[in-house]
Amino acid sequence: MTQTTLLQYEAPWPVHAIDWCKSTAPGHQSRPRSAFRLGIASFTEDYRNRIAIVGLQDERVLVEDDYTDYPDFVTLVEANHGYPATNLQWQPASAGGFPWTGKAPSAELLATTGDALRVWEYFGDAPPASSAYVGRQPSGGGHRLTLKTALSGQSKVQSQNTGAPLTSFSWNEKAPSLVVTSSIDTTCTVWNIDTATPITQLIAHDREVYDVAWLPGSTDIFVSVGADGSLRAFDLRSLEHSTILYETPAPKGAPPPTSTRLPTSPLLRIAFNPADSNYMSTFHMDGTDVQILDMRSPGQPVIELRGHRGQVNAMGWSTTERPLLATASDDCQVLLWDLAGYTQTATSPRTANSRLNSPRPDVKKRIVTDPIMAYAASSEVTNLAWSPQIPGMTMNTGHSTAPGEWLAIASGKLIKALKV
């Protein structure tokens, strides 16, 4: 009996945002199906965008390669989103044990950003909605996805009442009521989504902020990147100043600056290595390389990954102890990089509670050009998402699945999940 290594799904629309559920559904810990759920969001240039949750059609697709009469994934439930979701995330794994004030125990939360930060409640096996018409079957098979709150604050830097569009957000793993959002209006806002109130808003960059990430294990420190080409760290305990960890060099051949603004290459994404939060990855707009930075020696990358021939669109770290980084690009490739041989474990580890200064000697930048795996897609790969480590499970048929991680990639309307 062969184990399946590729699962596929075709959405009815181009997919942009994508995330793999971080934990199994409440009460379904032993079912493989519950670990294979994706949240996806469309990208169309109108106000008719959708978000959806997709899951396995039948668990047997995990062990039977000849079980091909059906699509591997099916849509479980979907909802209107209006503008495209710039980011979509499932609740962190820690959210299951968090004392929420206004959430049903059987509900799971998802969040999206766009024109606002929206928090959604998903009921995977909800009791069928009672219908006013006798005999009418409720659609969706008991799955419900409902909007819980939509948060958009008064902007510090713009006069209109509605907040400016949000580019991304990061959900705090340690305190799942905390979410930090980034906006095109140069600000970042920290929200308490349990009480639906903003905790603080700060002007983070000189230009648009494109992405933001909490330092793993911390409820105080987060980093952001933006159009001004800088990567900055903020500490909620001392907001009067930020730490610039990296600034991009001026693009080659850039004309001399006509204004006070120096030409920079915007940074689009930021992600921490969850196995060693000293390391984080970023990439430039239109760039083909990925930079790895070490918080202990800020200023320049310690590693540069050179393997793509088109602009990089997305990246993500696996959740295992051995740091694997996946990168996706317009060159229709997904590359997998094993950085264990290049990253040093800290001789003086910086704990999540310490401040942002533990200098170490300047490290010479290493160029890495050989990924351990390459996957060729049929078109440009726009986004990706790792699964958590999924344990091996035994099905009703007696077959068992091997443990491991999966990587979901979005390419046009197609989503492919690859067993790593």
Side-chain angles (χ1 to χ4, degrees):
M1 183 60 64
T2 53
Q3 297 273 337
T4 305
T5 56
L6 172 69
L7 300 168
Q8 303 190 67
Y9 173 78
E10 184 167 5
W13 19 256
V15 176
H16 172 58
I18 179 170
D19 195 31
W20 199 295
C21 66
K22 311 288 195 301
S23 46
T24 50
H28 289 257
Q29 281 74 5
S30 60
R31 294 295 301 275
R33 174 181 292 178
S34 164
F36 286 82
R37 296 172 301 157
L38 299 170
I40 59 174
S42 69
F43 184 86
T44 55
E45 294 187 6
D46 53 30
Y47 196 65
R48 295 201 298 271
N49 282 274
R50 312 278 289 169
I51 62 169
I53 293 174
V54 302
L56 290 184
Q57 164 99 324
D58 190 300
E59 292 175 350
R60 286 174 290 176
V61 300
L62 294 173
V63 289
E64 299 181 28
D65 271 344
D66 54 352
Y67 195 71
T68 51
D69 302 346
Y70 299 100
D72 297 321
F73 288 99
V74 290
T75 306
L76 301 175
V77 66
E78 56 180 306
N80 281 316
H81 195 272
Y83 291 112
T86 52
N87 194 347
L88 175 151
Q89 290 176 35
W90 289 81
Q91 65 182 27
S94 57
F98 185 78
W100 301 96
T101 55
K103 181 179 88 68
S106 59
E108 296 173 85
L109 300 180
L110 289 91
T112 56
T113 41
D115 53 331
L117 169 64
R118 289 184 171 81
V119 181
W120 306 79
E121 274 191 317
Y122 169 56
F123 295 88
D125 286 296
S130 57
S131 166
Y133 297 95
V134 176
R136 173 192 275 183
Q137 284 300 309
S139 59
H143 294 268
R144 286 206 326 264
L145 182 61
T146 54
L147 180 62
K148 190 175 184 313
T149 45
L151 304 169
S152 69
Q154 175 80 42
S155 170
K156 262 191 176 179
V157 291
Q158 293 189 335
S159 54
Q160 75 254 36
N161 287 327
T162 53
L166 302 175
T167 51
S168 189
F169 71 97
S170 178
W171 207 324
N172 195 289
E173 178 78 39
K174 198 173 169 188
S177 57
L178 294 181
V179 168
V180 58
T181 58
S182 54
S183 170
I184 63 168
D185 71 359
T186 75
T187 68
C188 290
T189 305
V190 179
W191 296 91
N192 180 331
I193 59 167
D194 194 30
T195 58
T197 51
I199 293 172
T200 187
Q201 184 185 58
L202 54 121
I203 295 171
H205 286 259
D206 302 329
R207 295 173 63 188
E208 299 91 335
V209 191
Y210 288 141
D211 200 13
V212 65
W214 288 104
L215 173 69
S218 173
T219 55
D220 296 302
I221 296 170
F222 64 89
V223 298
S224 61
V225 290
D228 60 8
S230 70
L231 162 59
R232 303 183 185 209
F234 300 89
D235 189 327
L236 295 180
R237 296 164 296 190
S238 54
L239 281 175
E240 57 277 2
H241 63 88
S242 64
T243 307
I244 295 182
L245 297 173
Y246 173 57
E247 284 188 288
T248 58
K252 292 186 183 74
T258 49
S259 67
T260 52
R261 241 181 219 179
L262 291 168
T264 56
S265 176
L267 293 171
L268 289 189
R269 293 281 173 265
I270 181 69
F272 279 99
N273 173 2
D276 181 351
S277 59
N278 288 301
Y279 293 99
M280 53 199 151
S281 55
T282 185
F283 59 85
H284 299 213
M285 185 180 283
D286 303 325
T288 57
D289 307 333
V290 173
Q291 287 74 34
I292 310 293
L293 294 141
D294 185 336
M295 265 198 163
R296 296 160 299 184
S297 57
Q300 68 152 353
V302 290
I303 304 170
E304 195 157 75
L305 308 179
R306 297 182 181 171
H308 286 292
R309 295 185 300 277
Q311 70 174 36
V312 177
N313 294 321
M315 62 185 177
W317 294 87
S318 70
T319 54
T320 48
E321 286 300 303
R322 192 173 177 86
L324 291 179
L325 179 67
T327 57
S329 159
D330 271 0
D331 64 8
C332 309
Q333 286 202 104
V334 176
L335 302 180
L336 210 54
W337 307 84
D338 183 351
L339 302 176
Y342 303 96
T343 55
Q344 323 169 251
T345 47
T347 43
S348 57
R350 177 185 47 71
T351 63
N353 292 325
S354 65
R355 301 290 169 142
L356 287 165
N357 48 2
S358 43
R360 65 190 269 233
D362 279 344
V363 181
K364 193 173 184 308
K365 181 168 77 175
R366 303 176 72 166
I367 308 295
V368 181
T369 56
D370 45 341
I372 57 164
M373 192 186 96
Y375 176 80
S378 49
S379 63
E380 292 92 346
V381 185
T382 50
N383 216 335
L384 56 82
W386 285 92
S387 79
Q389 182 78 13
I390 296 175
M393 302 185 192
T394 304
M395 306 187 186
N396 310 343
T397 56
H399 300 127
S400 58
T401 62
E405 283 184 298
W406 292 73
L407 180 64
I409 63 170
S411 183
K413 293 181 178 180
L414 274 180
I415 291 172
K416 298 195 175 185
L418 316 168
K419 179 84 179 273
V420 176

